[in-house]
Amino acid sequence: MVKVSSGVGPIPRATMGDVAKRLGISKAAVSYALNGQPGVSSETRMRVLALAKELGWYASSSARALSGAETGVVGLVLSRPSDLLTIETFFIHFLSGVEKVLTERGSSLLLRVIGEHPEAEINTYERWWGERRVDGVILVDERHQDLRLSAVERLGLPAVLCGGPIKGSSLPCLWTDQGADATKVMEYLVSLGHGRIAHVSGPPRFVHERTRRRGVRRAAKTLGVVVETHEAEYTGSQAADVTRRLLDQPGPPTAIVYASDVMALAGLGVASALGVPVPAQLSVVSWDDSYLTTLVHPAVTALWRDTPAYGALAASMLLDLVDGRNRGRMQLPASTLNVRETTAPPA
Amino acid sequence: MVKVSSGVGPIPRATMGDVAKRLGISKAAVSYALNGQPGVSSETRMRVLALAKELGWYASSSARALSGAETGVVGLVLSRPSDLLTIETFFIHFLSGVEKVLTERGSSLLLRVIGEHPEAEINTYERWWGERRVDGVILVDERHQDLRLSAVERLGLPAVLCGGPIKGSSLPCLWTDQGADATKVMEYLVSLGHGRIAHVSGPPRFVHERTRRRGVRRAAKTLGVVVETHEAEYTGSQAADVTRRLLDQPGPPTAIVYASDVMALAGLGVASALGVPVPAQLSVVSWDDSYLTTLVHPAVTALWRDTPAYGALAASMLLDLVDGRNRGRMQLPASTLNVRETTAPPA
DNA sequence: CTATTCTACTGAACCGGGCAAGCGCAGGGA
DNA sequence: TCCCTGCGCTTGCCCGGTTCAGTAGAATAG
């Protein structure tokens, strides 16, 4: 045990044995007293609790975990290139929701940020589970043909998938109805009078992007309008490139739906640079909402969902699973369309 | 031990005892072999390593930690209201740097996100240390009269402070030279010809905001110009309010320096809404740089520092401290001023 | 040919809790 | 008086590693 070499000596950390010795009773009695179990008189219990408090005793998490209990730690791997990661306000909102529930229920979060290497992520789960470091994990960013699902099932590692629903698996999962969201956006734009609409989506390796794309196509068909989907990474520069191409072509779209707030902002920047007035000549919608959309002028119309609640639900489903209660598949409430200043009838 | 109730049974996790039994040797021999210690023949070592790999053996972190070793976990508490947290791209950049070093050196990060309650943060450290959950912690956001410093010293909890330098303490710390940065910004603005400059700072409970303010005042005096500092929380709306007040007054400033990128963006939004052209009539500088500053049009002139490197250094200093090497006080390289489109000579 | 050293191992204690089994003693019923 | 029950506590083993103190046998030295 290495100690910080500060002037004041560190407090020696008390053990149950110390408490027992000081009171002249056995370790077991102390254990029963501290855990609220029967087997000790209430007088002894009081004395134990008082002394434990005085000594600043905490149960060693390692010792607890070693004797079969849970670790009280939940793992989360963020597997995106770090420059993309910074772009997503989604995660930090999500994390704050996760944290809230974990804190309430006495757990903590082991976080790992890695580049986008699916094997590295699966390796992390293997290690964490092998080392008994976590009780379970939250899987975010469902991918097309996601290898992580079979990996956690093979390991027997309790996990909750943010995505789905998945067939033929008892893994609990929770998801947003992207199809309903797509319909909501498309109906709104069509009601304004738009007929040439572009959809700048994120990369199709993410399942939710595929689902959105399908939803958009289906809604367009139903509504009798034309929609083109263009794929881009979740970066401002890629979104800007796509936007430039869209606006430079003859017969440009009158409305563009972007997969994220950052992409929408980049699109706005391009429109402004090209002298295309928003919303007079171009309407812009963002599929994700955040403080960014109201920070800029004009403020961006966006689909909003309660991301902290999403994280909170994921965490609570995982803790329940660890406790032996599989809550199965849960669908989140549909998003709300926050209409702001970037949408209007076409010129 | 609760198991996920999936169709396939979970892999039983092998222990050193299993390996020993299967090879007909003692646990101790297995331990020596796996840890690269002398005391076993290379032939036995090979057989142990091969079997361990085959069985998918990992050392139980709890058992390791229990027998005196470190836990391999570093703690970090983010203590800001969650709505402010989302605003700061700083943290996620910082975290990615921290993670990089921790991963390289085989540690992981225990993250806790709490509201701004200093006692809650200190409680967390007490618990973590008492429960032997972490080897050390990284303290971010140095506050005025920071109670956390004495708390970690009292506990003997290894810690690194992002801030300082602090007198009369051997706590390792690392900081940016805010004074030099202030001078850099002010000299640049004055060289453009600005004489009425406003500084919209963050809340003074953060030491770095006080240092910046002092630096700005000092530079202004040296350069013979007038600077007013206005305090605001790190939110877009507060920055917007201050900006409106500044621009509405008679003889408004010709340049505004904002404490963060988000605040600068909010300021830009207000200027745009009020019809004040940037940079023709107002120059804008952000004290923090991020992808946001280049996303908008016009792109924002900003002070840039390598935040991931900051996090990486903090993590490596902490791991060194845990290993018994106190690297003392370290100053980070000065920031670079990225001149973009929001600064020009005053009208 | 013995004395010493070294190699390659084994056995057991230990870390700090959890928990099953056992044990002495008091009180109650027959 | 004896038996039974149950309270309140103790003993002791378990979890899965680490580590120290041996020890048998082979190699080397004198």
Side-chain angles (χ1 to χ4, degrees):
Chain A
M1 198 70 56
V2 177
K3 288 164 183 172
V4 68
S5 56
S6 70
V8 193
I11 292 179
R13 291 179 284 183
T15 70
M16 275 185 11
D18 298 337
V19 176
K21 204 180 296 172
R22 293 259 302 240
L23 292 178
I25 59 176
S26 71
K27 253 179 30 173
V30 173
S31 171
Y32 294 142
L34 290 170
N35 293 311
Q37 296 210 5
V40 278
S41 66
S42 59
E43 195 219 319
T44 307
R45 191 184 300 276
M46 304 281 240
R47 293 201 302 144
V48 169
L49 289 173
L51 183 58
K53 186 161 191 180
E54 187 197 324
L55 296 178
W57 175 87
Y58 287 95
S60 149
S61 57
S62 313
R64 271 235 170 106
L66 191 56
S67 47
E70 285 133 23
T71 62
V73 176
V74 160
L76 179 61
V77 176
L78 291 187
S79 174
R80 293 201 179 185
S82 64
D83 54 323
L84 280 187
L85 183 65
T86 64
I87 281 184
E88 295 279 0
T89 51
F90 171 83
F91 279 127
I92 202 139
H93 274 108
F94 184 84
L95 273 187
S96 79
V98 168
E99 273 290 341
K100 186 163 170 295
V101 169
L102 292 185
T103 302
E104 281 168 12
R105 296 179 57 173
S107 286
S108 29
L109 182 74
L110 200 61
L111 183 70
R112 188 101 144 61
V113 181
I114 58 180
E116 195 161 16
H117 307 291
E119 339 81 70
E121 184 170 344
I122 290 174
N123 280 347
T124 301
Y125 296 138
E126 275 178 7
R127 282 191 70 115
W128 278 353
W129 186 234
E131 295 176 354
R132 286 88 167 152
R133 235 180 232 295
V134 298
D135 295 328
V137 294
I138 296 176
L139 305 177
V140 291
D141 276 342
E142 188 191 7
R143 318 243 170 78
H144 185 55
Q145 295 176 342
D146 203 322
L147 298 170
R148 300 173 301 172
L149 305 183
S150 56
V152 296
E153 294 202 345
R154 176 173 53 80
L155 291 169
L157 170 61
V160 165
L161 174 70
C162 295
I166 34 175
K167 299 185 197 99
S169 160
S170 64
L171 207 67
C173 57
L174 68 170
W175 73 95
T176 10
D177 186 349
Q178 307 280 358
D181 289 357
T183 306
K184 191 170 288 178
V185 173
M186 294 298 290
E187 281 180 348
Y188 169 67
L189 288 176
V190 170
S191 79
L192 285 178
H194 292 276
R196 285 197 316 281
I197 301 171
H199 171 215
V200 180
S201 87
R205 62 177 177 279
F206 295 119
V207 168
H208 71 268
E209 292 295 348
R210 294 172 171 248
T211 321
R212 285 180 181 180
R213 178 184 196 148
R214 217 168 32 237
V216 164
R217 211 174 329 168
R218 194 168 301 161
K221 205 164 191 175
T222 310
L223 296 165
V225 294
V226 178
V227 171
E228 276 177 34
T229 295
H230 301 264
E231 290 158 8
E233 290 293 328
Y234 291 123
T235 60
S237 66
Q238 288 219 11
D241 289 349
V242 172
T243 308
R244 249 186 300 271
R245 259 187 290 133
L246 286 172
L247 296 182
D248 274 348
Q249 73 192 3
T254 59
I256 307 182
V257 181
Y258 291 90
S260 79
D261 47 357
V262 169
M263 294 170 95
L265 256 60
L268 275 187
V270 168
S272 153
L274 292 179
V276 176
V278 173
Q281 203 176 320
L282 177 71
S283 284
V284 165
V285 177
S286 165
W287 207 302
D288 266 346
D289 204 354
S290 80
Y291 67 94
L292 287 180
T293 53
T294 57
L295 203 60
V296 293
H297 184 82
V300 184
T301 295
L303 269 176
W304 178 87
R305 58 178 168 174
D306 191 344
T307 311
Y310 189 4
L313 183 56
S316 92
M317 285 174 74
L318 179 58
L319 292 180
D320 284 347
L321 179 65
V322 169
D323 288 346
R325 293 192 306 280
N326 186 332
R327 286 168 65 182
R329 304 163 177 203
M330 310 213 27
Q331 190 169 347
L332 296 161
S335 305
T336 327
L337 186 65
N338 282 333
V339 175
R340 300 205 180 90
E341 303 159 6
T342 55
T343 40
Chain B
M1 198 70 57
V2 177
K3 289 164 181 173
V4 66
S5 57
S6 70
V8 193
I11 291 179
R13 290 179 284 185
T15 70
M16 272 185 15
D18 299 336
V19 176
K21 204 180 295 173
R22 294 259 301 239
L23 292 178
I25 58 177
S26 71
K27 257 180 24 174
V30 173
S31 172
Y32 293 142
L34 290 169
N35 292 311
Q37 295 209 9
V40 276
S41 66
S42 57
E43 196 218 317
T44 306
R45 191 184 301 274
M46 303 280 242
R47 293 200 302 144
V48 169
L49 290 174
L51 184 58
K53 186 160 192 183
E54 187 197 323
L55 296 178
W57 175 88
Y58 286 95
S60 149
S61 57
S62 314
R64 271 236 168 101
L66 191 55
S67 45
E70 286 133 22
T71 62
V73 176
V74 160
L76 179 62
V77 176
L78 291 187
S79 173
R80 295 200 180 186
S82 66
D83 54 325
L84 280 188
L85 183 66
T86 64
I87 281 184
E88 294 279 358
T89 53
F90 172 83
F91 279 128
I92 201 139
H93 274 109
F94 185 85
L95 273 187
S96 79
V98 168
E99 273 289 342
K100 185 162 170 294
V101 169
L102 292 184
T103 302
E104 282 167 12
R105 295 179 58 173
S107 285
S108 29
L109 183 74
L110 200 60
L111 183 70
R112 189 101 143 63
V113 181
I114 57 178
E116 198 161 15
H117 307 291
E119 341 79 71
E121 185 171 344
I122 290 173
N123 279 348
T124 302
Y125 297 138
E126 275 178 6
R127 282 192 70 115
W128 278 354
W129 186 235
E131 295 177 352
R132 286 87 166 153
R133 235 180 232 294
V134 297
D135 295 327
V137 294
I138 297 176
L139 305 177
V140 290
D141 278 341
E142 189 192 7
R143 320 247 169 74
H144 185 56
Q145 294 174 343
D146 203 322
L147 297 170
R148 300 173 302 170
L149 304 183
S150 56
V152 297
E153 294 202 345
R154 176 172 54 80
L155 291 169
L157 170 61
V160 164
L161 174 71
C162 294
I166 34 173
K167 300 186 196 96
S169 160
S170 65
L171 207 68
C173 57
L174 68 170
W175 72 94
T176 10
D177 186 349
Q178 309 279 358
D181 289 357
T183 306
K184 192 171 286 177
V185 173
M186 293 299 289
E187 282 180 347
Y188 168 67
L189 288 175
V190 170
S191 78
L192 286 177
H194 291 278
R196 286 197 315 282
I197 302 172
H199 171 212
V200 179
S201 87
R205 61 177 177 279
F206 295 119
V207 168
H208 71 269
E209 292 295 348
R210 294 172 171 248
T211 322
R212 286 180 180 179
R213 178 183 196 148
R214 218 168 33 237
V216 164
R217 212 176 327 168
R218 194 169 301 162
K221 204 165 194 174
T222 310
L223 295 165
V225 294
V226 179
V227 171
E228 277 177 34
T229 294
H230 302 264
E231 290 157 9
E233 290 292 330
Y234 291 123
T235 61
S237 65
Q238 289 220 8
D241 289 348
V242 173
T243 307
R244 250 185 300 271
R245 260 188 289 133
L246 285 172
L247 296 182
D248 274 347
Q249 73 191 3
T254 60
I256 307 182
V257 180
Y258 292 91
S260 79
D261 46 356
V262 169
M263 295 169 96
L265 256 61
L268 276 188
V270 168
S272 153
L274 292 179
V276 176
V278 174
Q281 204 175 317
L282 177 71
S283 284
V284 165
V285 177
S286 164
W287 206 304
D288 264 347
D289 204 356
S290 80
Y291 66 94
L292 287 181
T293 54
T294 58
L295 204 60
V296 294
H297 183 80
V300 184
T301 296
L303 269 176
W304 179 86
R305 59 177 168 173
D306 191 346
T307 312
Y310 189 6
L313 184 55
S316 91
M317 285 174 73
L318 179 59
L319 292 181
D320 284 347
L321 179 66
V322 170
D323 288 345
R325 293 190 307 279
N326 186 332
R327 287 168 65 183
R329 304 163 178 203
M330 311 213 27
Q331 191 170 347
L332 295 162
S335 304
T336 327
L337 185 66
N338 282 333
V339 175
R340 301 204 180 92
E341 302 159 7
T342 55
T343 40

